[in-house]
Amino acid sequence: MYVAVKGGERAIDNAHDWLAEERRGPQDVAELDVAQIRTQLGLAVNRVMAEGSLFDPDLAALAIKQSRGDLIEAIFLIRAYRTTLPRFGYSTPVDTGAMACDRRISATFKDVPGGQVLGPTFDYTHRLLDFALEAEGLQRSEAIAPEAHPVMPRVSQFLNQEGLIQDEPRPEVDAVPGDLTRAPLELPATRALRLQALARGDEGFVLSMAYSTQRGYAKNHPFVGELRIGTVAVEMEIPELGFAVEIGDVVLSECETVNQFTGSKTEPPQFTRGYGLVFGQTERKAISMALVDRALRWKELGEDDKGAPAQDEEFVLYHADNIQATGFLEHIKLPHYVDFQSELELVRKLRREADARVRPTEAAQ
Amino acid sequence: MADETMATADQAARKGWMGLLARAPAAEVKRLWDDLGREVDFDWLRAPEIGGVMVRGRTGGTGAAFNLGEMTVTRCSLRLADGTVGHAMVQGRDRDKARVAALVDALMQGAAAEDLRARLLRPLEDAMTAAAGKRAARAARTKVDFFTMVRGED
């Protein structure tokens, strides 16, 4: 029998009131404002923008405040918000070669033109807790005279001069790439769709997939050919004007891997490439994305299917999105009283039948 | 031919100021505009509207296009009393910044251009160039100077 259940409104209202109070915390501690989160928890903001798939640092900071620092909840809020936005159009593809780099390193060439620029990195820190931060107060460094951003040529182009790396030529006319936000993912996916799915995929999931390839599941010998982080301008055609104008700046992390490749039935021995591009300063994600992108290219490069999870497009793409995942996972905690009632009836019936089968045997003993 | 060159130059100039206004911090744009103290009559052709633009990248940085993710933008269009039309498509969700950007776009096509260039566009550009230059200088200070260790095996 189905019984519609109502009620709980008062409990829900009180729960949400309490949530708001818990979010704020004790009144004798100063409240965090959105600008503080945006500027002082910048890497959390970047992750929310990347996986929320919306570049807007203020909104991401607001979402982090509202979600009490639960980043997947914050990403959920951003995804929900972005569905309310009318789509004005598509940008022309950004030119990451013209990036104003805060950071640019190569693990393959020491003396790369433009140099190895470390930027504000955790690398080479000792990972010891800095108790001085409890006490506050960083001494600002002295004023530095401004300089122009140097030109940073792509590392892959040096290998390309020798013809030793798979080329990534620019098409004469850009094909319109598929868009996951407009049409559901269908398999087999194009590389463009895979990159879009990975760019907004869960950092932990993409990291683990990448790690699995390093440990031997579809091993593909990656080096970080180049990692660059910085600002690029976004340009878009404005129909009313009939020409393209810059509509803003975004910070991006870009990683290109260089992968040893001994050749296949269809391709000569050369280096191949994996590509990662992510909103914000998010280098762990960008490197992971490049490794997984490369693993997923096995078919196109004529490599063997080793049955590794990272080669399995369906497995990777259908499980990378943490909002889809958490939506399905968390719904099982919501009331399933009627579903469960029917299961309970079923198990009771089976038990009665099983007991009926057991009892005659007992009687025989 | 001369007309065409002229049109291209005009277009490049308009591209320049529209891009600058789109990328500039909203607070700076509005502060500089308020300092001008201009009262301008206009009609909305399209009132400010917040939306999203899908940002595209290229595979391997140079190859085929793919959709990376969206960014927030605000757009509007207006017409001055003299009929000049101004457009804005600016980053973020600040309707007021979009209004100022569209007004500046329209006014830059008329007699006020020199004044606006000197008192609004140039200060904006200088501030943004200085901010970018500071980051570049900070980055340059983190550039690695490799040196070879003496190996002592003469």
Side-chain angles (χ1 to χ4, degrees), chain B residues 70-127:
Chain B
E70 286 163 288
M71 62 184 276
T72 51
V73 290
T74 306
R75 70 177 176 192
C76 66
S77 301
L78 46 78
R79 184 169 41 219
L80 303 183
D82 70 3
T84 316
V85 172
H87 296 291
M89 173 85 91
V90 301
Q91 183 162 26
R93 290 165 291 112
D94 193 316
R95 291 183 173 85
D96 227 23
K97 177 190 172 186
R99 176 185 60 92
V100 172
L103 280 170
V104 174
D105 179 47
L107 291 168
M108 281 300 293
Q109 300 168 56
E114 269 325 295
D115 183 45
L116 280 168
R117 192 181 299 282
R119 295 167 65 203
L120 191 138
L121 295 178
R122 205 161 291 145
L124 260 189
E125 189 165 17
D126 289 348

Side-chain angles (χ1 to χ4, degrees), chain A residues 2 13 19 87 89 106 129 160-161 176 187 191 202 204 207 221 245 250 254 278 288 298 310 318 357 362:
Chain A
Y2 176 73
D13 285 346
L19 169 67
R87 171 71 62 80
S106 169
L129 276 174
N160 208 4
Q161 282 161 6
V176 174
L187 299 175
R191 192 169 174 205
D202 182 77
L207 168 66
H221 303 278
V245 297
V250 292
E254 182 187 52
V278 188
S288 302
W298 64 273
Y318 277 128
R357 277 198 304 276
E362 279 172 353

Side-chain angles (χ1 to χ4, degrees), chain B:
Chain B
M1 190 66 186
D3 277 0
E4 248 175 59
T5 323
M6 196 71 146
T8 321
D10 285 353
Q11 200 181 84
R14 194 168 181 198
K15 247 176 109 116
W17 72 64
M18 289 187 78
L20 178 69
L21 291 161
R23 293 164 47 235
E28 271 300 275
V29 174
K30 290 187 285 184
R31 186 184 64 78
L32 287 164
W33 173 257
D34 289 344
D35 286 354
L36 289 176
R38 278 180 182 269
E39 294 289 330
V40 183
D41 279 336
F42 67 91
D43 291 316
W44 287 119
L45 298 175
R46 178 198 274 147
E49 179 189 15
I50 296 168
V53 167
M54 177 59 86
V55 180
R56 283 183 171 152
R58 288 191 183 282
T59 309
T62 51
F66 69 95
N67 293 308
L68 173 64
E70 286 163 288
M71 62 184 276
T72 51
V73 290
T74 306
R75 70 177 176 192
C76 66
S77 301
L78 46 78
R79 184 169 41 219
L80 303 183
D82 70 3
T84 316
V85 172
H87 296 291
M89 173 85 91
V90 301
Q91 183 162 26
R93 290 165 291 112
D94 193 316
R95 291 183 173 85
D96 227 23
K97 177 190 172 186
R99 176 185 60 92
V100 172
L103 280 170
V104 174
D105 179 47
L107 291 168
M108 281 300 293
Q109 300 168 56
E114 269 325 295
D115 183 45
L116 280 168
R117 192 181 299 282
R119 295 167 65 203
L120 191 138
L121 295 178
R122 205 161 291 145
L124 260 189
E125 189 165 17
D126 289 348
M128 286 167 71
T129 309
K134 269 188 198 153
R135 286 198 85 83
R138 290 307 294 256
R141 280 164 51 125
T142 67
K143 189 163 154 178
V144 179
D145 288 322
F146 288 105
F147 56 89
T148 309
M149 310 280 278
V150 178
R151 285 200 272 179
E153 47 189 44
D154 300 312

Side-chain angles (χ1 to χ4, degrees), chain A residues 188-261:
Chain A
T190 58
R191 192 169 174 205
L193 277 177
R194 295 198 303 247
L195 290 172
Q196 184 181 11
L198 291 172
R200 71 210 306 256
D202 182 77
E203 179 174 311
F205 177 85
V206 182
L207 168 66
S208 291
M209 282 290 127
Y211 179 44
S212 74
T213 70
Q214 289 185 291
R215 288 194 62 254
Y217 293 86
K219 201 170 183 67
N220 54 38
H221 303 278
F223 295 97
V224 170
E226 181 168 4
L227 173 70
R228 54 171 71 196
I229 301 174
T231 306
V232 298
V234 180
E235 207 177 64
M236 184 172 132
E237 288 278 346
I238 309 291
E240 293 88 339
L241 299 173
F243 55 88
V245 297
E246 288 173 353
I247 58 169
D249 284 332
V250 292
V251 175
L252 299 175
S253 296
E254 182 187 52
C255 175
E256 264 208 292
T257 55
V258 174
N259 302 66
Q260 185 203 95
F261 180 66

Side-chain angles (χ1 to χ4, degrees), chain A residues 198 205 209 292 296 309-310 312-320:
Chain A
L198 291 172
F205 177 85
M209 282 290 127
V292 176
L296 288 172
D312 185 336
E313 180 175 81
E314 180 175 343
F315 183 84
V316 173
L317 300 185
Y318 277 128
H319 299 108

